[in-house]
Amino acid sequence: MLAVWVEQLLGFAAGALAAIREDERYPEFMAWAREEGAELMGGNLAMAQALAPVLWSQTPLERAGFACEPLARPGRNEPCWCDSGRKTKHCCGAVSMPADVPDHLMWMLSLRDWKGPTLKAALESGHAPAQALLEAGLIAAETGQRGRAQQILESLFQRADWSRLPAQAEPAFELLIDLYQERGFTRKRAELLDEVLDRGPMFLRGVALERLCLMHLDNDDLDSARAAFVRAQQALPDSPTLAYIEAMLLLHEGHEQEAAERARFWFRRLARQGELEPEQLQFLADLAENPGATLADQLLNAEEDLAEPLAALQALLAELPPAPGLDVRSTETGELEYRSSAREDTLVAAWRQHFEVDVDDESALGLKGDPWVQAGDWLRELCANPEWLDAPRVVQSLALALTSRFGSLPWMSPSLFEPLADRLERWLERVRGVGEGPFLWDSADNAVLLRTGLALVVGMERGARARSRQLAERLLSLDDQDSLGLQELVLDQLLREGREREALAMTEARRDDGPVLGILMGRALALFRLERVDEADAVLHEVERHNPHALPMLCAEQTRAVSLGPDGVAEPGTRAEAWQYRTLMRDQWRSTPGALTWVQAYLDQR
């Protein structure tokens, strides 16, 4: 019965709005209500007359600057406000409605209909109820009108009085942050987060901190992510979302065992409180048992149309037979070359009919387009034709695609990246089995294997650090020119594993190759940890000569992000290079007792 009433109410309200917009005069609207309006209510004239004044009173009028002209509700013995001439108790007062009429309904419908300058003026008027803005924004987003949704939701959160926000504002806030992210409004996203953190209601501050933490994780800025998480704990200490975020953060930091222990802590704590839904409690139980697998399953389930084909890919990779051999030869000068075979070319041609994005040969990890637009097609075809993975070019494309989407997520390593690494390493064994000569990027089809290796090193860097470093070291042994820039990555991983002497040895072997910020900073950190402070001081002098921004930016507790170049590359000596290093490695300096204090003291003595 209630569902029928809601449907009738919405139909009547939409018709009423159209009638009011014709001239925005009450008598003409009541004439419509007694004729066409009664038909919309199934011939119930009394209900139509009773509804009309209620809806008129909450309708924004363009002629009034989008204010409403509410009617005074009459007493029982006063003339009825529907202009019937009868007393209220004998007219609309005798009508019983199945449920209350939302007092923001006509504003919400108006915001749904208005466009262009009219919508802009209505939002700027400040008269729109918060609940109407909330619902209209969500409806616009659900119907694919992203720009309209952003415009409406911005008005909701630009209010001076945060106390007027409806309780359901949390999903709208998250939606607006997502819209800014999708549409490239990074400055607006940062400003909204700052505004909420500065003066927003407590429930939104916690959400903002959680989102900030996830954004830092996406950018590999673990130090900032940890700081945001600590603030989120203080703002919302009992939020179940914190269990999820802390598990993600610890896995990113390489602390798998601690992630499970903390998930068990959260499960016990929140289970005792007894306020969670059964599915939330089950998620926490799964997280406590196996954080990585639970996060991976959650990610796949959230992929909607891709959940099934991605799960099929995981199953395929788990059962993939060993890779076949390759055509690798040693040249007269002792260099090693891989050349694609005719069978491999045939497999690649079949694969390219579905995977239509080219590899960018000018970039180490680039693709000329987004492969995930048509991912449903190529994933299903690949699972139906697993022999395509016998061709290194197919594995290269797949590795690049997976890294572009899942490379920063440590819990995806076991099911997506490590099986492909097994395949590549078999091929690299074949390469080294032919001879001890160099395997150079520019020779024959060597770049296919090397680029695949780099993609897998990056894909496993967070979730399988030891495996990632071993593969990187193997690639470095083949391509001693380090065409892929793997030396910095291996150095970072050695420092994260506390292997300072090996890290130092790596930097000493490359000292004649020219200054690289990551190498210099890694050398300084290794020397400091080994208590060779005088030598470390000398390296800080080298760092300052190479990039004067690096040390101050490393020590600063807070600093604004710096954009990289259009190709994502930070030029040597720039603030962008210093910011990129801080983002990737400040957590290691902060977790090394006395390291940042030492650098700050060095700066103070200049």
Side-chain angles (χ1 to χ4, degrees), residues 80-139:
C80 189
W81 60 352
C82 73
D83 289 347
S84 65
R86 293 183 292 168
K87 290 184 178 181
T88 297
K89 65 182 180 181
H90 297 307
C91 191
C92 293
V95 176
S96 177
M97 298 185 189
D100 292 337
V101 178
D103 57 11
H104 64 280
L105 177 61
M106 297 301 274
W107 252 108
M108 187 273 290
L109 294 177
S110 297
L111 291 171
R112 186 191 65 181
D113 293 345
W114 278 327
K115 297 178 176 63
T118 305
L119 175 62
K120 181 181 179 182
L123 295 174
E124 291 176 347
S125 73
H127 293 308
Q131 190 67 32
L133 291 166
L134 171 65
E135 294 181 15
L138 294 176
I139 290 171

Short mmCIF file of all heavy atoms in Angstrom, two decimals, residues 80-139:
data_model
loop_
_atom_site.label_atom_id
_atom_site.label_comp_id
_atom_site.label_asym_id
_atom_site.label_seq_id
_atom_site.Cartn_x
_atom_site.Cartn_y
_atom_site.Cartn_z
N CYS A 80 -10.86 26.45 4.39
CA CYS A 80 -9.78 25.55 3.96
C CYS A 80 -8.84 26.26 2.99
O CYS A 80 -9.27 27.09 2.17
CB CYS A 80 -10.38 24.31 3.31
SG CYS A 80 -9.13 23.02 2.98
N TRP A 81 -7.60 25.92 3.09
CA TRP A 81 -6.59 26.60 2.26
C TRP A 81 -6.59 26.16 0.80
O TRP A 81 -5.82 26.66 -0.01
CB TRP A 81 -5.21 26.45 2.87
CG TRP A 81 -4.68 25.02 3.04
CD1 TRP A 81 -5.37 23.87 2.86
CD2 TRP A 81 -3.38 24.66 3.45
NE1 TRP A 81 -4.59 22.79 3.12
CE2 TRP A 81 -3.34 23.24 3.49
CE3 TRP A 81 -2.23 25.36 3.78
CZ2 TRP A 81 -2.21 22.53 3.85
CZ3 TRP A 81 -1.11 24.67 4.14
CH2 TRP A 81 -1.08 23.25 4.18
N CYS A 82 -7.47 25.21 0.44
CA CYS A 82 -7.56 24.80 -0.97
C CYS A 82 -8.53 25.66 -1.75
O CYS A 82 -8.80 25.40 -2.92
CB CYS A 82 -7.96 23.33 -1.06
SG CYS A 82 -9.70 23.01 -0.66
N ASP A 83 -9.10 26.70 -1.05
CA ASP A 83 -10.04 27.64 -1.70
C ASP A 83 -11.36 26.97 -2.11
O ASP A 83 -12.04 27.43 -3.03
CB ASP A 83 -9.41 28.31 -2.93
CG ASP A 83 -8.33 29.30 -2.55
OD1 ASP A 83 -8.24 29.64 -1.35
OD2 ASP A 83 -7.58 29.73 -3.44
N SER A 84 -11.76 25.92 -1.38
CA SER A 84 -13.05 25.27 -1.69
C SER A 84 -14.21 26.04 -1.12
O SER A 84 -15.37 25.84 -1.53
CB SER A 84 -13.06 23.85 -1.13
OG SER A 84 -13.00 23.88 0.31
N GLY A 85 -13.94 26.90 -0.14
CA GLY A 85 -15.01 27.64 0.52
C GLY A 85 -15.56 26.94 1.74
O GLY A 85 -16.33 27.54 2.50
N ARG A 86 -15.20 25.71 1.98
CA ARG A 86 -15.68 24.97 3.15
C ARG A 86 -14.70 25.11 4.31
O ARG A 86 -13.55 25.48 4.13
CB ARG A 86 -15.85 23.49 2.79
CG ARG A 86 -16.98 23.25 1.76
CD ARG A 86 -17.14 21.76 1.50
NE ARG A 86 -15.97 21.22 0.81
CZ ARG A 86 -15.74 19.93 0.65
NH1 ARG A 86 -16.59 19.04 1.15
NH2 ARG A 86 -14.67 19.53 0.00
N LYS A 87 -15.20 24.75 5.52
CA LYS A 87 -14.31 24.73 6.67
C LYS A 87 -13.27 23.63 6.50
O LYS A 87 -13.57 22.58 5.92
CB LYS A 87 -15.10 24.53 7.96
CG LYS A 87 -15.96 25.71 8.35
CD LYS A 87 -16.63 25.47 9.70
CE LYS A 87 -17.46 26.68 10.13
NZ LYS A 87 -18.10 26.45 11.45
N THR A 88 -12.12 23.85 7.08
CA THR A 88 -11.03 22.88 6.95
C THR A 88 -11.44 21.50 7.45
O THR A 88 -11.11 20.48 6.84
CB THR A 88 -9.80 23.37 7.72
OG1 THR A 88 -9.35 24.60 7.14
CG2 THR A 88 -8.66 22.36 7.67
N LYS A 89 -12.16 21.44 8.58
CA LYS A 89 -12.52 20.13 9.15
C LYS A 89 -13.46 19.35 8.25
O LYS A 89 -13.53 18.12 8.37
CB LYS A 89 -13.11 20.30 10.54
CG LYS A 89 -14.45 21.04 10.58
CD LYS A 89 -14.92 21.20 12.02
CE LYS A 89 -16.25 21.95 12.08
NZ LYS A 89 -16.70 22.13 13.50
N HIS A 90 -14.14 20.03 7.39
CA HIS A 90 -15.03 19.35 6.46
C HIS A 90 -14.41 19.17 5.07
O HIS A 90 -15.05 18.66 4.16
CB HIS A 90 -16.35 20.11 6.32
CG HIS A 90 -17.12 20.21 7.59
ND1 HIS A 90 -17.46 19.12 8.37
CD2 HIS A 90 -17.63 21.30 8.25
CE1 HIS A 90 -18.12 19.50 9.44
NE2 HIS A 90 -18.24 20.84 9.40
N CYS A 91 -13.16 19.63 4.91
CA CYS A 91 -12.50 19.57 3.59
C CYS A 91 -11.17 18.84 3.71
O CYS A 91 -11.13 17.65 4.05
CB CYS A 91 -12.34 20.98 3.05
SG CYS A 91 -11.84 21.06 1.29
N CYS A 92 -10.07 19.54 3.49
CA CYS A 92 -8.75 18.87 3.47
C CYS A 92 -8.37 18.33 4.84
O CYS A 92 -7.63 17.34 4.94
CB CYS A 92 -7.67 19.86 3.00
SG CYS A 92 -7.88 20.33 1.26
N GLY A 93 -8.89 18.94 5.93
CA GLY A 93 -8.59 18.45 7.26
C GLY A 93 -9.15 17.07 7.52
O GLY A 93 -8.71 16.39 8.46
N ALA A 94 -10.12 16.64 6.74
CA ALA A 94 -10.72 15.31 6.93
C ALA A 94 -10.00 14.24 6.13
O ALA A 94 -10.34 13.06 6.22
CB ALA A 94 -12.20 15.36 6.54
N VAL A 95 -9.01 14.66 5.31
CA VAL A 95 -8.29 13.70 4.46
C VAL A 95 -7.10 13.14 5.22
O VAL A 95 -6.29 13.90 5.78
CB VAL A 95 -7.81 14.37 3.15
CG1 VAL A 95 -6.98 13.39 2.32
CG2 VAL A 95 -9.01 14.87 2.36
N SER A 96 -6.98 11.83 5.24
CA SER A 96 -5.85 11.17 5.90
C SER A 96 -4.90 10.62 4.83
O SER A 96 -5.32 9.80 4.00
CB SER A 96 -6.35 10.04 6.80
OG SER A 96 -5.26 9.36 7.40
N MET A 97 -3.66 11.07 4.88
CA MET A 97 -2.67 10.59 3.91
C MET A 97 -1.95 9.37 4.45
O MET A 97 -1.68 9.28 5.66
CB MET A 97 -1.66 11.70 3.59
CG MET A 97 -2.30 12.92 2.94
SD MET A 97 -1.08 14.16 2.45
CE MET A 97 -2.17 15.52 2.02
N PRO A 98 -1.60 8.42 3.59
CA PRO A 98 -0.94 7.18 4.06
C PRO A 98 0.40 7.42 4.74
O PRO A 98 0.83 6.61 5.54
CB PRO A 98 -0.76 6.38 2.76
CG PRO A 98 -1.79 6.91 1.83
CD PRO A 98 -1.92 8.37 2.18
N ALA A 99 1.08 8.53 4.40
CA ALA A 99 2.39 8.84 5.01
C ALA A 99 2.65 10.33 4.84
O ALA A 99 1.99 11.02 4.06
CB ALA A 99 3.50 8.02 4.35
N ASP A 100 3.62 10.82 5.61
CA ASP A 100 3.96 12.24 5.51
C ASP A 100 4.57 12.56 4.16
O ASP A 100 5.23 11.72 3.53
CB ASP A 100 4.96 12.61 6.61
CG ASP A 100 4.35 12.54 8.00
OD1 ASP A 100 3.11 12.64 8.11
OD2 ASP A 100 5.12 12.37 8.97
N VAL A 101 4.35 13.79 3.73
CA VAL A 101 4.96 14.28 2.49
C VAL A 101 6.30 14.91 2.85
O VAL A 101 6.35 15.83 3.67
CB VAL A 101 4.06 15.31 1.80
CG1 VAL A 101 4.74 15.85 0.54
CG2 VAL A 101 2.71 14.69 1.45
N PRO A 102 7.42 14.45 2.27
CA PRO A 102 8.74 15.06 2.57
C PRO A 102 8.71 16.56 2.29
O PRO A 102 8.23 16.98 1.22
CB PRO A 102 9.70 14.33 1.63
CG PRO A 102 9.02 13.03 1.30
CD PRO A 102 7.55 13.33 1.30
N ASP A 103 9.20 17.36 3.23
CA ASP A 103 9.10 18.81 3.06
C ASP A 103 10.09 19.38 2.06
O ASP A 103 10.10 20.59 1.81
CB ASP A 103 9.25 19.52 4.41
CG ASP A 103 10.57 19.18 5.10
OD1 ASP A 103 11.44 18.57 4.46
OD2 ASP A 103 10.71 19.54 6.29
N HIS A 104 10.95 18.52 1.48
CA HIS A 104 11.90 18.99 0.47
C HIS A 104 11.58 18.43 -0.92
O HIS A 104 12.37 18.60 -1.85
CB HIS A 104 13.32 18.54 0.85
CG HIS A 104 13.48 17.04 0.86
ND1 HIS A 104 13.07 16.26 1.90
CD2 HIS A 104 13.95 16.18 -0.08
CE1 HIS A 104 13.30 14.99 1.63
NE2 HIS A 104 13.84 14.92 0.42
N LEU A 105 10.44 17.77 -1.06
CA LEU A 105 10.14 17.04 -2.30
C LEU A 105 10.16 17.94 -3.52
O LEU A 105 10.79 17.61 -4.54
CB LEU A 105 8.78 16.35 -2.16
CG LEU A 105 8.27 15.60 -3.40
CD1 LEU A 105 9.23 14.49 -3.80
CD2 LEU A 105 6.86 15.04 -3.15
N MET A 106 9.48 19.10 -3.47
CA MET A 106 9.38 19.94 -4.66
C MET A 106 10.72 20.60 -4.99
O MET A 106 11.02 20.85 -6.17
CB MET A 106 8.29 20.98 -4.46
CG MET A 106 6.90 20.37 -4.27
SD MET A 106 6.38 19.36 -5.68
CE MET A 106 5.66 20.63 -6.74
N TRP A 107 11.53 20.89 -3.97
CA TRP A 107 12.88 21.39 -4.26
C TRP A 107 13.70 20.31 -4.96
O TRP A 107 14.42 20.58 -5.93
CB TRP A 107 13.57 21.82 -2.97
CG TRP A 107 13.72 23.30 -2.81
CD1 TRP A 107 13.05 24.10 -1.95
CD2 TRP A 107 14.61 24.15 -3.54
NE1 TRP A 107 13.47 25.41 -2.08
CE2 TRP A 107 14.43 25.47 -3.05
CE3 TRP A 107 15.53 23.95 -4.55
CZ2 TRP A 107 15.13 26.56 -3.54
CZ3 TRP A 107 16.24 25.05 -5.05
CH2 TRP A 107 16.04 26.33 -4.56
N MET A 108 13.59 19.09 -4.48
CA MET A 108 14.37 18.01 -5.08
C MET A 108 13.98 17.80 -6.55
O MET A 108 14.84 17.67 -7.42
CB MET A 108 14.16 16.72 -4.29
CG MET A 108 15.06 15.56 -4.72
SD MET A 108 14.37 14.59 -6.09
CE MET A 108 13.01 13.79 -5.27
N LEU A 109 12.66 17.81 -6.82
CA LEU A 109 12.21 17.64 -8.20
C LEU A 109 12.63 18.83 -9.06
O LEU A 109 12.96 18.66 -10.25
CB LEU A 109 10.69 17.47 -8.23
CG LEU A 109 10.15 16.18 -7.58
CD1 LEU A 109 8.63 16.18 -7.61
CD2 LEU A 109 10.70 14.95 -8.30
N SER A 110 12.62 20.02 -8.49
CA SER A 110 13.05 21.20 -9.25
C SER A 110 14.52 21.10 -9.61
O SER A 110 14.92 21.39 -10.76
CB SER A 110 12.79 22.47 -8.43
OG SER A 110 11.41 22.65 -8.19
N LEU A 111 15.35 20.71 -8.65
CA LEU A 111 16.77 20.56 -8.93
C LEU A 111 17.03 19.47 -9.96
O LEU A 111 18.00 19.53 -10.72
CB LEU A 111 17.51 20.21 -7.63
CG LEU A 111 17.59 21.33 -6.59
CD1 LEU A 111 18.15 20.79 -5.27
CD2 LEU A 111 18.45 22.48 -7.09
N ARG A 112 16.17 18.49 -9.99
CA ARG A 112 16.30 17.43 -11.00
C ARG A 112 16.00 17.96 -12.40
O ARG A 112 16.60 17.53 -13.38
CB ARG A 112 15.34 16.28 -10.66
CG ARG A 112 15.46 15.07 -11.55
CD ARG A 112 14.31 14.11 -11.33
NE ARG A 112 13.05 14.70 -11.75
CZ ARG A 112 11.86 14.08 -11.66
NH1 ARG A 112 11.79 12.88 -11.12
NH2 ARG A 112 10.75 14.69 -12.08
N ASP A 113 15.08 18.94 -12.49
CA ASP A 113 14.63 19.42 -13.80
C ASP A 113 15.40 20.62 -14.32
O ASP A 113 15.60 20.78 -15.52
CB ASP A 113 13.14 19.78 -13.74
CG ASP A 113 12.26 18.54 -13.53
OD1 ASP A 113 12.77 17.42 -13.73
OD2 ASP A 113 11.08 18.70 -13.15
N TRP A 114 15.79 21.54 -13.44
CA TRP A 114 16.41 22.78 -13.88
C TRP A 114 17.75 22.51 -14.56
O TRP A 114 18.49 21.60 -14.20
CB TRP A 114 16.64 23.72 -12.70
CG TRP A 114 15.42 24.50 -12.32
CD1 TRP A 114 14.44 24.95 -13.14
CD2 TRP A 114 15.05 24.89 -11.00
NE1 TRP A 114 13.48 25.62 -12.43
CE2 TRP A 114 13.83 25.61 -11.10
CE3 TRP A 114 15.63 24.74 -9.74
CZ2 TRP A 114 13.18 26.15 -10.00
CZ3 TRP A 114 15.00 25.29 -8.63
CH2 TRP A 114 13.78 25.98 -8.76
N LYS A 115 18.09 23.35 -15.51
CA LYS A 115 19.35 23.22 -16.24
C LYS A 115 20.02 24.59 -16.36
O LYS A 115 19.40 25.62 -16.16
CB LYS A 115 19.10 22.63 -17.64
CG LYS A 115 18.52 21.23 -17.66
CD LYS A 115 18.28 20.77 -19.08
CE LYS A 115 17.77 19.32 -19.12
NZ LYS A 115 16.46 19.18 -18.43
N GLY A 116 21.29 24.54 -16.74
CA GLY A 116 22.04 25.74 -17.12
C GLY A 116 21.94 26.87 -16.12
O GLY A 116 22.07 26.69 -14.91
N PRO A 117 21.69 28.10 -16.61
CA PRO A 117 21.68 29.29 -15.75
C PRO A 117 20.64 29.21 -14.64
O PRO A 117 20.85 29.73 -13.54
CB PRO A 117 21.37 30.44 -16.72
CG PRO A 117 21.79 29.92 -18.07
CD PRO A 117 21.51 28.45 -18.04
N THR A 118 19.50 28.57 -14.93
CA THR A 118 18.45 28.47 -13.91
C THR A 118 18.92 27.63 -12.73
O THR A 118 18.73 27.99 -11.57
CB THR A 118 17.17 27.87 -14.51
OG1 THR A 118 16.77 28.63 -15.65
CG2 THR A 118 16.05 27.87 -13.48
N LEU A 119 19.54 26.48 -13.03
CA LEU A 119 20.05 25.63 -11.97
C LEU A 119 21.13 26.37 -11.18
O LEU A 119 21.15 26.33 -9.93
CB LEU A 119 20.62 24.34 -12.55
CG LEU A 119 21.32 23.40 -11.56
CD1 LEU A 119 20.34 22.93 -10.50
CD2 LEU A 119 21.94 22.21 -12.28
N LYS A 120 22.01 27.06 -11.89
CA LYS A 120 23.08 27.80 -11.21
C LYS A 120 22.51 28.85 -10.28
O LYS A 120 22.94 28.99 -9.12
CB LYS A 120 23.99 28.44 -12.26
CG LYS A 120 25.15 29.21 -11.64
CD LYS A 120 26.03 29.85 -12.72
CE LYS A 120 27.17 30.65 -12.10
NZ LYS A 120 28.00 31.31 -13.13
N ALA A 121 21.50 29.61 -10.77
CA ALA A 121 20.90 30.66 -9.94
C ALA A 121 20.18 30.06 -8.74
O ALA A 121 20.23 30.61 -7.63
CB ALA A 121 19.92 31.48 -10.78
N ALA A 122 19.51 28.94 -8.93
CA ALA A 122 18.80 28.30 -7.82
C ALA A 122 19.77 27.85 -6.74
O ALA A 122 19.51 28.03 -5.54
CB ALA A 122 18.00 27.11 -8.34
N LEU A 123 20.90 27.29 -7.15
CA LEU A 123 21.90 26.85 -6.18
C LEU A 123 22.53 28.03 -5.46
O LEU A 123 22.79 27.97 -4.25
CB LEU A 123 22.97 26.01 -6.88
CG LEU A 123 22.51 24.68 -7.48
CD1 LEU A 123 23.64 24.03 -8.27
CD2 LEU A 123 22.02 23.72 -6.40
N GLU A 124 22.77 29.11 -6.19
CA GLU A 124 23.39 30.29 -5.58
C GLU A 124 22.44 31.04 -4.65
O GLU A 124 22.89 31.83 -3.81
CB GLU A 124 23.89 31.23 -6.68
CG GLU A 124 25.09 30.67 -7.45
CD GLU A 124 25.53 31.58 -8.59
OE1 GLU A 124 24.75 32.51 -8.94
OE2 GLU A 124 26.63 31.36 -9.15
N SER A 125 21.14 30.80 -4.78
CA SER A 125 20.17 31.50 -3.94
C SER A 125 20.31 31.11 -2.47
O SER A 125 19.95 31.88 -1.58
CB SER A 125 18.74 31.18 -4.40
OG SER A 125 18.38 29.83 -4.05
N GLY A 126 20.83 29.93 -2.20
CA GLY A 126 20.98 29.47 -0.82
C GLY A 126 19.71 28.98 -0.18
O GLY A 126 19.69 28.68 1.01
N HIS A 127 18.61 28.90 -0.96
CA HIS A 127 17.32 28.48 -0.39
C HIS A 127 17.12 26.97 -0.42
O HIS A 127 16.23 26.46 0.25
CB HIS A 127 16.16 29.14 -1.15
CG HIS A 127 16.09 30.62 -0.96
ND1 HIS A 127 16.07 31.23 0.28
CD2 HIS A 127 16.01 31.63 -1.88
CE1 HIS A 127 16.01 32.55 0.13
NE2 HIS A 127 15.98 32.82 -1.17
N ALA A 128 17.92 26.26 -1.20
CA ALA A 128 17.68 24.81 -1.38
C ALA A 128 17.92 24.07 -0.08
O ALA A 128 18.98 24.22 0.54
CB ALA A 128 18.59 24.27 -2.48
N PRO A 129 16.97 23.25 0.38
CA PRO A 129 17.19 22.44 1.58
C PRO A 129 18.33 21.44 1.36
O PRO A 129 18.51 20.92 0.26
CB PRO A 129 15.86 21.71 1.78
CG PRO A 129 14.86 22.47 0.96
CD PRO A 129 15.62 23.04 -0.19
N ALA A 130 19.08 21.18 2.41
CA ALA A 130 20.23 20.28 2.30
C ALA A 130 19.80 18.90 1.83
O ALA A 130 20.47 18.28 1.00
CB ALA A 130 20.94 20.18 3.64
N GLN A 131 18.66 18.41 2.33
CA GLN A 131 18.22 17.07 1.94
C GLN A 131 17.88 17.02 0.45
O GLN A 131 18.13 16.02 -0.22
CB GLN A 131 17.00 16.65 2.76
CG GLN A 131 16.60 15.19 2.61
CD GLN A 131 17.63 14.22 3.16
OE1 GLN A 131 18.32 14.53 4.12
NE2 GLN A 131 17.76 13.06 2.53
N ALA A 132 17.33 18.10 -0.08
CA ALA A 132 17.01 18.16 -1.51
C ALA A 132 18.28 18.12 -2.35
O ALA A 132 18.36 17.44 -3.38
CB ALA A 132 16.20 19.41 -1.83
N LEU A 133 19.29 18.88 -1.92
CA LEU A 133 20.57 18.88 -2.62
C LEU A 133 21.19 17.49 -2.59
O LEU A 133 21.72 17.00 -3.60
CB LEU A 133 21.53 19.89 -1.99
CG LEU A 133 21.17 21.36 -2.16
CD1 LEU A 133 21.99 22.22 -1.21
CD2 LEU A 133 21.37 21.81 -3.59
N LEU A 134 21.12 16.86 -1.44
CA LEU A 134 21.69 15.53 -1.28
C LEU A 134 21.05 14.54 -2.25
O LEU A 134 21.73 13.85 -3.01
CB LEU A 134 21.50 15.06 0.16
CG LEU A 134 21.85 13.61 0.48
CD1 LEU A 134 23.32 13.35 0.30
CD2 LEU A 134 21.41 13.27 1.90
N GLU A 135 19.71 14.49 -2.23
CA GLU A 135 19.01 13.51 -3.06
C GLU A 135 19.15 13.83 -4.55
O GLU A 135 19.35 12.92 -5.37
CB GLU A 135 17.54 13.45 -2.66
CG GLU A 135 17.35 12.90 -1.25
CD GLU A 135 15.88 12.81 -0.85
OE1 GLU A 135 15.02 12.90 -1.75
OE2 GLU A 135 15.60 12.66 0.35
N ALA A 136 19.06 15.10 -4.92
CA ALA A 136 19.19 15.47 -6.33
C ALA A 136 20.59 15.15 -6.85
O ALA A 136 20.75 14.70 -8.00
CB ALA A 136 18.88 16.95 -6.52
N GLY A 137 21.61 15.38 -6.02
CA GLY A 137 22.98 15.06 -6.42
C GLY A 137 23.18 13.57 -6.63
O GLY A 137 23.80 13.14 -7.61
N LEU A 138 22.64 12.77 -5.72
CA LEU A 138 22.78 11.32 -5.85
C LEU A 138 22.04 10.80 -7.07
O LEU A 138 22.54 9.92 -7.80
CB LEU A 138 22.25 10.64 -4.58
CG LEU A 138 23.05 10.90 -3.30
CD1 LEU A 138 22.37 10.26 -2.10
CD2 LEU A 138 24.48 10.38 -3.42
N ILE A 139 20.86 11.35 -7.34
CA ILE A 139 20.09 10.93 -8.51
C ILE A 139 20.85 11.27 -9.80
O ILE A 139 20.93 10.47 -10.73
CB ILE A 139 18.69 11.58 -8.51
CG1 ILE A 139 17.83 10.97 -7.39
CG2 ILE A 139 18.00 11.39 -9.86
CD1 ILE A 139 16.53 11.70 -7.17
#
